[in-house]
Amino acid sequence: MNRGFLVAATAISAAYALWPLPTDFSTGTAALTLASDFDIDISAIPNPPQDLLDAISRTKGYLQTDQLEALVVDRGVSYNQSLQNASSLVSLVLSYDSGLAGEPTSISEEAIDDIDSRVEGYTLTVPEDGSAATVKANSTLGLFRGLTTFGQLWYDLSNTTYTVEAPITITDSPVFPYRGFMLDTARNYFPVSDILRTLDAMSWVKMTTFHWHMVDSQSFPLEVPEFPELSVNGAYGPSLVYSTNDVQTIVSYANARGIDVLPELDTPGHTAIIAQAYPEHVACPGATPWATYANEPPAGQLRFANANTVNFTACLISSVSARFPGKYFSTGGDELNTECYAVDESTQADLNTTGKTLEQALDTFTQTVQSVLEDSGKTPVVWEEMVLDFNLTLSNNTIVMVWISSADAAAVADKGFRLVQAPSDYFYLDCGAGGWVGANPSGNSWCDPFKTWQYAYSFDPVANLTDAQAKLVIGGEHLLWTEQSHASNLDSIVWPRAAASAEIFWSGPGGNISEALPRLHDVAFRMTQRGVGAIALQPLWCALRPGVCDLTA
Amino acid sequence: MNRGFLVAATAISAAYALWPLPTDFSTGTAALTLASDFDIDISAIPNPPQDLLDAISRTKGYLQTDQLEALVVDRGVSYNQSLQNASSLVSLVLSYDSGLAGEPTSISEEAIDDIDSRVEGYTLTVPEDGSAATVKANSTLGLFRGLTTFGQLWYDLSNTTYTVEAPITITDSPVFPYRGFMLDTARNYFPVSDILRTLDAMSWVKMTTFHWHMVDSQSFPLEVPEFPELSVNGAYGPSLVYSTNDVQTIVSYANARGIDVLPELDTPGHTAIIAQAYPEHVACPGATPWATYANEPPAGQLRFANANTVNFTACLISSVSARFPGKYFSTGGDELNTECYAVDESTQADLNTTGKTLEQALDTFTQTVQSVLEDSGKTPVVWEEMVLDFNLTLSNNTIVMVWISSADAAAVADKGFRLVQAPSDYFYLDCGAGGWVGANPSGNSWCDPFKTWQYAYSFDPVANLTDAQAKLVIGGEHLLWTEQSHASNLDSIVWPRAAASAEIFWSGPGGNISEALPRLHDVAFRMTQRGVGAIALQPLWCALRPGVCDLTA
């Protein structure tokens, strides 16, 4: 990771489809076709991990099925002559840069390594004369990133798969290790297949983290074998539950694609639904008017001042976190409503008995919960309020999600915590579609306006931070809160917009939107070919004519 | 049609799913199930038209496949006991109110009748004792509307199809005859299957008009056999063309669903793409900066001052309109850019030769084009500028689309023209998703903000109009301009939002959004069951608890 590299990489030909933009690369002007017997050669890799073999398989599949015509006016027809005379590429050779001591680790193992230890860099060469292309890396994850890039190089013309920019040489590695997407599966439920498709799309733009906001006040779609009533009573329906098996499927699928899963059990707020199974642990369940006791209906929060509730929460988090192989686990901590506790007699009695203030009780709760995580080798993740709004003793290791505003990053960093940039003012995908609360005729979304990809792309993760503060930024993520989303608009609300942050945090900020737009078109069109419903960013007329639809063109 | 009825109908039980709200109805509290041998009886109808038989077939299909669980917390489980003891409905009898003189006309024939002559009213009864339900109407279109309503009455519980609100009596007819949806298939192309699915969804909310903005400056996806080069050179690709056969498919499909197709060939602006086939007819093609010569790239408009171009346009409109059986045809007329003609030497020469002003030339062009339509029995439709921005001699029969602002309706009516309410400030579905023009980092859509369903629902088609002006309002429509849409987000950007105008123009304005929301949830969920990707309006938690997520609940 090279945190010093925070400027845009070399400008490239607009037709080129690499996303995120590689650190360093050069291209030529020669045509090169993919041989019909093209294959990916891993003979240099002893005992290749199964997930690498699978990734190779998928890559070969995409090379055959993408069938993406070049985004130029004639869709590549004018290349026909040069393709007739072009060399043909028969092989892509994968190898480790410097040999290996022992068995190679799998993509899945490397994907869940400590976030600062992951090695994603690779080099890729595609000679123009038809001699073997190469991907070299010091890690299996690096080989996978190189394969992903290789898959973005090719267009289709009448069933010929080709590039017109050989030779190609790429040296690439990310600026930030945390490049994520958050999905809320509690406001509305998403079938497992939608999550898997999303993970594929994330991997195509080299994201590393699926932040899974699993449960919230509205539903508890997660099966917890130790506490089965949580989903039996709290899911939207018996078929709208992520079973233990589903969780395993999702995690394996993600890891095999270089993606770590960051599970979140939001506590102590956003937990009203737990009252359906364990009413004794929830203060002010369904209290009205809800707006007094919660940011969204229904009201209801864990009675963190109560020892039994602390114990229950610790057990719950222990049970859930044990089913995720990753090292990071979020206990949430956003939007805690103190009114809810003011009217909760049980909480008031507990505070009276223990002689603690609400904040002291929260501190006990948080320390207990964090201990559970740390004792099992996990690193806690929390929303920014846990650091900025309360005086709590948090593990030094804690990672903090900045969401309310990008302006809060400095304050979080000043407390010495590593942080993830998830600011609502840049990366909230749900903003701008009007208010969803009922009886609110001219209601707007609280985080208006709509966050365009262009605006997200202008985000600077270290803006207004000192060097010391900037060192604590480990990356960022786009987020989808799903009050107004379910399966039908998942793809269209996320893609290709979320690719904007994927590039910022891989390539560094400062990129030019005019240069990025043609490449982002390519991302969207390739996603569409692969079954992900990315939207059109412009009329196709514009997509085929880079720059011509620019404001001042 | 009863234009006097412009207030909300009787309030109904929130769980009820009728949309648009019927004129008058009553429901009971008895459970009634659909018998396994339920059938629709048309023995009273001699020689039933094929499209009615098809509609009956589809209705029976929906009754089996909708399988929509009631939108209540327990999804209807508590009804189980009463369903066990309920009567069972074996038959729905369709009949004409007052007998028929001769053969019945088809839905398709009635759908394209003069807009003021269409008869859509019906009565529907569903007794609680299992005796036959009835739909009666004075027209086949009315029977179809009644069938559509019948299809909204039923929920599913463990494969029992039921209502708990028998007996049901409905008397229903629309307030406005024009209830439409406009789709732009030129900025981005939509496969025929997407259009057919959209027509189905439109028919479920009883819309009457598919306003098809077929072509624009960016592409000409319509095959015109007399002018084949238009689509050969102007479509986005050989497979991205609506063939004559496709057009016929779309029109037949629409008509059979009670929907008239209003085709639009936008002229004389928005025609740059014609230069790909007939450069001699286009002024300022591709002129830069485009923003000087057009509202969108690329610039280019018909040389309406040229006699050959007038003749070409008349022939083109004659050719295209002849392939549509409907009586209405839009020649467009929006956003004419005069700078384009100022720099067009050919136009200036033509004006010099004829001694006409630009406006006089436009008048000649418009009269010629309108004559062609009227001579073939068609009624011309134009955008509002043709009436408000220029002094043209238009056919008195012309229907005017108000789009720039709802505030312009009065001025249009003052000119004596019938008008359709298509105001961008209420009904433009594309607004609020940021600017699509390139190199415009903080660009917003010109018609920000996003038009919520709630806001659209608050629209009053006759606000600030005198009675005389109000009589000229024939209805309204939601519109989708597709710079940022294609197949992947068609359903999600349109549904269920566009149902808001469908209800306003059927039931009359003034409805209450708190009362409407539960019903609109039902629309969205039923659409989803039928394969239309309507979005979630709220967390499912709220959808199952009408009113509980209201702002002040």
Side-chain angles (χ1 to χ4, degrees), chain A residues 442-510:
Chain A
S442 16
N444 290 322
S445 69
W446 70 270
C447 54
D448 261 345
F450 180 87
K451 309 306 173 206
T452 65
W453 76 263
Q454 298 95 324
Y455 189 68
Y457 195 71
S458 76
F459 183 71
D460 180 350
V462 297
N464 305 314
L465 300 184
T466 64
D467 285 355
Q469 290 168 336
K471 283 204 177 81
L472 294 166
V473 178
I474 63 170
E477 67 183 20
H478 263 90
L479 306 92
L480 182 60
W481 301 102
T482 61
E483 287 86 355
Q484 293 162 306
S485 294
H486 58 177
S488 74
N489 62 334
L490 172 62
D491 289 8
S492 59
I493 206 167
V494 176
W495 304 113
R497 266 198 296 165
S501 65
E503 176 153 300
I504 291 170
F505 292 105
W506 178 285
S507 314

Side-chain angles (χ1 to χ4, degrees), chain B residues 343-425:
Chain B
V343 298
D344 184 46
E345 287 179 17
S346 168
T347 293
Q348 293 308 314
D350 286 326
L351 295 176
N352 246 342
T353 307
T354 58
K356 288 181 179 168
T357 64
L358 195 70
E359 188 171 55
Q360 287 167 337
L362 181 60
D363 196 27
T364 303
F365 171 87
T366 306
Q367 288 193 49
T368 307
V369 163
Q370 288 211 335
S371 294
V372 165
L373 287 174
E374 298 215 292
D375 289 351
S376 58
K378 306 270 181 180
T379 299
V381 179
V382 297
W383 294 111
E384 62 171 280
E385 291 100 314
M386 291 290 96
V387 170
L388 300 182
D389 290 3
F390 301 96
N391 187 20
L392 306 178
T393 308
L394 296 175
S395 155
N396 291 335
N397 209 24
T398 302
I399 294 172
V400 179
M401 295 269 177
V402 173
W403 72 273
I404 296 175
S405 162
S406 50
D408 296 341
V412 169
D414 278 344
K415 304 265 184 175
F417 294 106
R418 290 179 295 170
L419 66 92
V420 171
Q421 292 277 20
S424 55
D425 47 342

Side-chain angles (χ1 to χ4, degrees), chain B residues 142-217:
Chain B
L143 293 178
F144 176 62
R145 299 299 179 215
L147 273 175
T148 301
T149 302
F150 187 80
Q152 290 179 344
L153 299 175
W154 307 95
Y155 295 100
D156 180 85
L157 179 67
S158 311
N159 294 317
T160 297
T161 305
Y162 72 94
T163 174
V164 289
E165 306 196 79
I168 299 165
T169 308
I170 295 175
T171 306
D172 198 13
S173 66
V175 176
F176 295 92
Y178 187 110
R179 306 180 302 278
F181 168 66
M182 190 216 76
L183 181 66
D184 159 15
T185 56
R187 271 53 179 257
N188 281 300
Y189 178 85
F190 292 80
V192 172
S193 59
D194 288 303
I195 295 177
L196 301 185
R197 190 178 64 255
T198 301
L199 290 166
D200 274 316
M202 290 169 64
S203 79
W204 301 334
V205 293
K206 302 190 175 79
M207 286 183 172
T208 54
T209 308
F210 175 51
H211 173 187
W212 187 2
H213 185 86
M214 301 187 290
V215 300
D216 211 296
S217 276

Side-chain angles (χ1 to χ4, degrees), chain B residues 229-521:
Chain B
E229 299 86 355
L230 284 169
S231 60
V232 169
N233 297 355
Y236 280 138
S239 66
L240 306 178
V241 172
Y242 302 106
S243 69
T244 299
N245 193 43
D246 290 338
V247 168
Q248 209 161 34
T249 300
I250 289 167
V251 170
S252 306
Y253 199 92
N255 293 169
R257 283 154 184 79
I259 296 170
D260 193 6
V261 176
L262 167 61
E264 179 184 349
L265 273 188
D266 202 352
T267 64
H270 290 273
T271 44
I273 199 68
I274 291 177
Q276 301 298 316
Y278 300 98
E280 66 273 25
H281 296 311
V282 178
C284 82
T288 56
W290 59 261
T292 303
Y293 302 104
N295 281 34
E296 281 186 12
Q301 306 184 142
L302 288 174
R303 284 176 167 148
F304 60 73
N306 184 280
N308 291 331
T309 300
V310 172
N311 187 44
F312 163 78
T313 309
C315 288
L316 174 61
I317 285 177
S318 170
S319 303
V320 173
S321 67
R323 291 194 174 80
F324 288 87
K327 290 179 174 155
Y328 303 90
F329 193 95
S330 173
T331 54
D334 57 323
E335 300 186 318
L336 200 54
N337 180 301
T338 52
E339 278 303 303
C340 171
Y341 297 112
V343 298
D344 184 46
E345 287 179 17
S346 168
T347 293
Q348 293 308 314
D350 286 326
L351 295 176
N352 246 342
T353 307
T354 58
K356 288 181 179 168
T357 64
L358 195 70
E359 188 171 55
Q360 287 167 337
L362 181 60
D363 196 27
T364 303
F365 171 87
T366 306
Q367 288 193 49
T368 307
V369 163
Q370 288 211 335
S371 294
V372 165
L373 287 174
E374 298 215 292
D375 289 351
S376 58
K378 306 270 181 180
T379 299
V381 179
V382 297
W383 294 111
E384 62 171 280
E385 291 100 314
M386 291 290 96
V387 170
L388 300 182
D389 290 3
F390 301 96
N391 187 20
L392 306 178
T393 308
L394 296 175
S395 155
N396 291 335
N397 209 24
T398 302
I399 294 172
V400 179
M401 295 269 177
V402 173
W403 72 273
I404 296 175
S405 162
S406 50
D408 296 341
V412 169
D414 278 344
K415 304 265 184 175
F417 294 106
R418 290 179 295 170
L419 66 92
V420 171
Q421 292 277 20
S424 55
D425 47 342
Y426 284 86
F427 293 152
Y428 270 31
L429 295 163
D430 62 317
C431 306
W436 58 268
V437 166
N440 190 21
S442 16
N444 290 322
S445 69
W446 70 270
C447 54
D448 262 347
F450 181 87
K451 309 306 173 207
T452 66
W453 77 264
Q454 297 95 325
Y455 190 68
Y457 195 72
S458 75
F459 183 72
D460 180 351
V462 298
N464 306 316
L465 299 184
T466 64
D467 285 354
Q469 290 168 336
K471 282 205 177 81
L472 294 166
V473 179
I474 63 170
E477 67 182 21
H478 263 92
L479 307 91
L480 181 60
W481 300 103
T482 59
E483 286 86 354
Q484 292 163 307
S485 295
H486 59 177
S488 73
N489 61 335
L490 173 62
D491 288 9
S492 60
I493 206 167
V494 175
W495 303 113
R497 265 197 296 164
S501 65
E503 176 152 302
I504 291 170
F505 292 105
W506 177 285
S507 315
N512 178 291
I513 60 166
S514 302
E515 179 277 324
L517 176 57
R519 290 186 298 111
L520 194 55
H521 274 306

Side-chain angles (χ1 to χ4, degrees), chain A residues 73 75 186-188 217-219 236 240 273 276 287-291 296-298 431-444 448-450 452-455 458 482-486 488-489 492 513-514 517 525 528 532-542 544-545 548-553, chain B residues 73 75 186-188 217-219 236 240 273 276 287-291 296-298 431-444 448-450 452-455 458 482-486 488-489 492 513-514 517 525 528 532-542 544-545 548-553:
Chain A
V73 174
R75 306 311 298 266
R187 271 53 177 258
N188 282 300
S217 275
Q218 290 82 5
S219 79
Y236 280 136
L240 306 178
I273 199 68
Q276 301 298 315
T288 55
W290 60 260
E296 280 186 15
C431 305
W436 58 267
V437 166
N440 190 21
S442 16
N444 290 322
D448 261 345
F450 180 87
T452 65
W453 76 263
Q454 298 95 324
Y455 189 68
S458 76
T482 61
E483 287 86 355
Q484 293 162 306
S485 294
H486 58 177
S488 74
N489 62 334
S492 59
I513 60 166
S514 303
L517 176 56
F525 279 89
T528 303
V532 171
I535 69 159
L537 297 171
Q538 293 189 316
L540 181 56
W541 194 89
C542 302
L544 302 183
R545 292 167 178 82
V548 174
C549 293
D550 282 5
L551 187 58
T552 52
Chain B
V73 173
R75 306 312 298 265
R187 271 53 179 257
N188 281 300
S217 276
Q218 291 81 6
S219 78
Y236 280 138
L240 306 178
I273 199 68
Q276 301 298 316
T288 56
W290 59 261
E296 281 186 12
C431 306
W436 58 268
V437 166
N440 190 21
S442 16
N444 290 322
D448 262 347
F450 181 87
T452 66
W453 77 264
Q454 297 95 325
Y455 190 68
S458 75
T482 59
E483 286 86 354
Q484 292 163 307
S485 295
H486 59 177
S488 73
N489 61 335
S492 60
I513 60 166
S514 302
L517 176 57
F525 280 88
T528 302
V532 171
I535 68 159
L537 296 171
Q538 291 189 317
L540 181 56
W541 194 91
C542 302
L544 302 183
R545 294 166 177 83
V548 174
C549 292
D550 281 5
L551 187 57
T552 53

Side-chain angles (χ1 to χ4, degrees), chain A residues 40-63:
Chain A
I40 299 178
D41 176 353
I42 49 166
S43 57
I45 299 177
N47 302 316
Q50 184 58 45
D51 56 15
L52 179 61
L53 295 175
D54 294 343
I56 287 168
S57 235
R58 287 198 305 279
T59 303
K60 285 159 61 178
Y62 295 145
L63 292 171

